[in-house]
């Protein structure tokens, strides 16, 4: 593995990504300012701003842009003070923060022109520090803010090939229509067989097969055009790990395995952020310093492995460290002390379930707040991004041996394989990437608990969601046995109770129109071969209601 990386190659991606996060911060700040005028402070908006700033800070450090990283760290500290109600929002606060955002935007524009540009944020940093101390209403401080209007970033051109990628998406949509037509031919074929004209059936079957083969080849060609090797993401972390080691006094050997494995560009664009948080977590929390490792009989230099592989129609990415491991008991105690769960819930958790506490918003076992940890922002971001792709994340850890985070994602997001099910006489689709297994259980094996229904599935309690009841559908008849589809989203597991399993089928995802508003439990729709519409289940939304026997019960 070549550890020498030319970061200038990544500069355009960094600028574009950071600009997006700055836009998100600015929009949230504008809304926060409006609410401030009404005497209201929305903590959710402050948390959202903290999340975006945290990502900008991490990416800036990875790119070696220490001045931006330090300024954003000060901004993060100011908003943390607001969240903890140590300071109050004022007009001066907003002026100072907007000025800081303008400074960062200007430095990004100059970096595009000259990658060697070094920004000087000393004045604005002093202003932000005054914000954190609550001394922002003094005119002398506010005068330091650069209040000139600057809208140059609005017309900033992207250096990426997004236009070409959109054309590929249009082409992929056409392939999707072809898949629908192919499914329609299959439905028509069954009707033709009733005519008892053998030659007609054979000719039709052959034509249908040719269309299917052509559609498959066309789809494969387009998918290959959209695919990028995962090393595009992996190589960004060499500098990050180096800087983290220097910051924490640790020695780490970063190893890449399967870096040539390819993944859809849509997923590539998003997977960097969750990996960033997992790697920082591994270096800061997981791997010990050299002296501790020697006393434990380990080599002084820890090993951090990024591994990628294909598994059926999925990409599996793991972040593995040979560090100290994670103590489930310490996680339970930390969650109770922060008020995330009560002591009764903590005692009821298995060790595996206790590990999932790390994904709760605001959770951290780090007592000292540093540039890389302790603010409770990070792993919940990982969970949300993975869940948004109908993916799953899991943790395995052994004390003294190490920890492995495993992310399982679909290879592509446009045409997916789904498990088709029937509920109250209608057909629905469950993305197969989130399906773990399907089982048939007796009604007597379903138990009522305070938060719903559960079944005993091997060594764990599995909370259930009756899909028909969730959507308010009529129950056609009551059977002595129930079909349960075991699904997962992020770190959570649940069982969806359906009337009948139809089988697997490739479907084309169609987005729902915005005018329909929020549709809990629905991720989109698809057109079946008979022309009817089948809704696609949003697994994360559905099992979010399955609280029986889970760590979020009662929340």
């Amino acid at each position: 593995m070549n550890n020498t990386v030319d970061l200038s190659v990544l500069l355009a991606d960094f600028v574009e990504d950071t600009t997006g996060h700055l836009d998100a911060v600015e929009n949230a700040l504008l809304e926060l300012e409006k609410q401030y005028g009404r005497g209201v402070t929305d903590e959710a908006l402050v948390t959202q701003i903290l999340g975006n700033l945290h990502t900008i800070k991490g990416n800036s450090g990875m790119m070696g842009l220490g001045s931006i990283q330090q300024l954003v760290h000060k901004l993060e500290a100011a908003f943390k003070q607001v969240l903890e109600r140590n300071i109050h929002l004022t007009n001066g606060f907003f002026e100072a923060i907007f000025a800081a955002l303008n400074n960062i935007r200007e430095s990004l524009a100059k970096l595009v022109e000259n990658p060697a540009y070094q920004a000087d944020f000393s004045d604005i940093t002093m202003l932000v520090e005054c914000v954190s101390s609550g001394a922002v209403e003094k005119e002398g401080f506010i005068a330091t803010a650069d209040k000139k209007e600057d809208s140059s970033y609005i017309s900033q051109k992207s250096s990426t090939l997004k236009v070409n990628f959109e054309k590929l998406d249009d082409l992929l949509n056409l392939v999707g229509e072809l898949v629908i037509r192919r499914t329609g031919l299959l439905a028509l074929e069954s009707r033709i067989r009733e005519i008892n004209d053998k030659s007609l059936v054979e000719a039709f079957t052959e034509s249908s097969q040719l269309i299917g083969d052509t559609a498959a080849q066309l789809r494969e060609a387009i998918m290959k055009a959209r695919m990028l090797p995962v090393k595009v993401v992996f190589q960004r972390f060499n500098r990050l790990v180096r800087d983290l080691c220097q910051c924490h006094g640790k020695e780490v050997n970063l190893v890449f395995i399967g870096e040539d494995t390819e993944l859809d560009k849509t997923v590539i664009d998003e997977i960097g952020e969750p990996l960033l948080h997992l790697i920082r977590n591994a270096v800061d929390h997981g791997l010990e310093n050299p002296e501790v490792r020697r006393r434990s009989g380990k080599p002084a230099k820890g090993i951090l492995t990024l591994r990628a592989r294909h598994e059926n129609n999925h990409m599996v990415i793991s972040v593995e460290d040979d560090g100290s491991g994670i103590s489930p008991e310490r996680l339970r105690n930390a969650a109770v002390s922060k008020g995330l769960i009560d002591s009764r819930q903590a005692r009821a958790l298995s060790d595996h379930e206790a590990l999932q506490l790390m994904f709760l918003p605001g959770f951290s076992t780090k007592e000292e707040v540093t540039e890389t940890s302790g603010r409770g922002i990070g792993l919940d971001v990982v969970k949300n991004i993975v869940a948004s792709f109908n993916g799953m994340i899991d943790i395995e850890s052994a004390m003294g041996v190490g920890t492995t985070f495993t992310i399982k994602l679909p290879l592509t997001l446009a045409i997916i394989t789904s498990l088709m099910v029937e509920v109250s006489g209608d057909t629905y689709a469950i993305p197969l990437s989130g399906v773990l297994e399907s089982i048939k259980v007796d009604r007597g094996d379903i138990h009522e608990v305070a938060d719903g229904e559960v079944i005993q599935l091997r060594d764990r309690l599995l909370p259930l969601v009756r899909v028909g009841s969730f959507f308010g559908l009529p129950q056609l008849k009551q059977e002595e046995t129930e079909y349960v589809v075991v699904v997962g989203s992020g770190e959570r597991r649940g069982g969806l109770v359906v009337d009948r399993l139809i089988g697997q089928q490739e479907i084309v995802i169609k987005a729902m129109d915005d005018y329909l508003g929020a549709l809990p439990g629905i991720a989109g729709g698809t057109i079946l071969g008979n022309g009817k519409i089948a809704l696609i289940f949003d697994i994360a939304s559905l099992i979010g209601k399955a609280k029986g026997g889970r760590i979020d019960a009662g929340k």
Side-chain angles (χ1 to χ4, degrees), residues 9-279:
V9 176
L10 305 175
L11 183 59
D13 289 339
F14 165 77
V15 170
E16 184 175 20
D17 182 70
T18 302
T19 300
H21 284 293
L22 287 174
D23 290 342
V25 171
E26 200 163 78
N27 290 334
L29 195 60
L30 288 168
E31 182 60 28
L32 199 63
E33 190 174 34
K34 291 178 183 176
Q35 294 186 2
Y36 159 73
R38 300 193 296 266
V40 178
T41 300
D42 188 345
E43 292 187 357
L45 281 175
V46 178
T47 302
Q48 177 185 333
I49 290 172
L50 278 168
N52 284 285
L53 290 175
H54 195 70
T55 300
I56 295 174
K57 183 177 69 175
N59 290 344
S60 301
M62 183 173 62
M63 293 294 295
L65 301 173
S67 57
I68 295 180
Q69 184 185 30
Q70 290 297 324
L71 176 56
V72 176
H73 183 61
K74 298 294 185 183
L75 291 172
E76 200 177 28
F79 280 103
K80 191 70 174 179
Q81 292 282 77
V82 172
L83 196 61
E84 294 174 353
R85 301 186 180 182
N86 293 328
I87 62 173
H88 299 288
L89 294 176
T90 64
N91 289 325
F93 178 92
F94 289 107
E95 289 291 340
I97 301 302
F98 278 123
L101 297 180
N102 286 343
N103 274 256
I104 296 174
R105 287 188 185 277
E106 289 174 3
S107 70
L108 293 178
K110 291 176 181 177
L111 275 172
V112 172
E113 298 172 358
N114 176 20
Y117 172 75
Q118 294 291 329
D120 180 10
F121 294 128
S122 55
D123 289 341
I124 193 64
T125 298
M126 181 176 66
L127 178 62
V128 174
E129 288 175 343
C130 293
V131 162
S132 298
S133 66
V136 293
E137 287 304 302
K138 298 179 181 179
E139 290 298 320
F141 288 131
I142 299 303
T144 9
D146 185 2
K147 297 184 181 181
K148 68 179 181 180
E149 182 180 355
D150 180 16
S151 58
S152 60
Y153 67 91
I154 296 177
S155 58
Q156 183 177 352
K157 293 182 175 60
S158 171
S159 60
T160 60
L161 299 175
K162 281 193 173 180
V163 174
N164 289 343
F165 188 62
E166 289 171 356
K167 290 180 180 178
L168 283 175
D169 274 346
D170 291 338
L171 193 54
L172 191 62
N173 286 336
L174 293 176
V175 176
E177 296 298 329
L178 188 57
V179 171
I180 293 172
R181 300 294 175 263
R182 155 69 172 160
T183 308
L185 282 176
L186 292 176
L188 189 59
E189 180 181 349
S190 62
R191 295 175 57 190
I192 291 179
R193 290 184 183 278
E194 299 175 1
I195 303 177
N196 285 328
D197 188 334
K198 185 176 181 180
S199 61
L200 177 60
V201 171
E202 290 177 352
F204 183 87
T205 302
E206 182 180 358
S207 297
S208 176
Q209 185 63 47
L210 288 174
I211 291 176
D213 292 343
T214 302
Q217 293 171 10
L218 184 57
R219 184 185 66 177
E220 184 177 356
I222 295 172
M223 291 302 178
K224 286 181 179 179
R226 291 166 55 108
M227 293 289 189
L228 291 173
V230 75
K231 67 181 177 184
V232 172
V233 180
F234 280 8
Q235 69 175 354
R236 303 175 187 173
F237 299 113
N238 282 301
R239 174 65 184 273
L240 173 70
V241 172
R242 172 192 173 275
D243 292 346
L244 288 173
C245 287
Q246 290 188 343
C247 177
H248 297 288
K250 297 182 179 180
E251 298 178 11
V252 177
N253 181 27
L254 180 60
V255 178
F256 298 154
I257 298 177
E259 56 187 317
D260 291 326
T261 307
E262 292 188 332
L263 188 60
D264 191 293
K265 184 182 182 299
T266 308
V267 185
I268 285 282
D269 287 342
E270 301 294 337
I271 195 61
E273 185 173 347
L275 288 179
L276 167 67
H277 292 297
L278 292 179
I279 289 172

Side-chain angles (χ1 to χ4, degrees), residues 274-283 319 379 382 393 405 407:
L275 288 179
L276 167 67
H277 292 297
L278 292 179
I279 289 172
R280 292 173 71 171
N281 183 77
V283 177
V319 179
L379 292 185
V382 176
I393 185 168
F405 287 86
I407 298 174

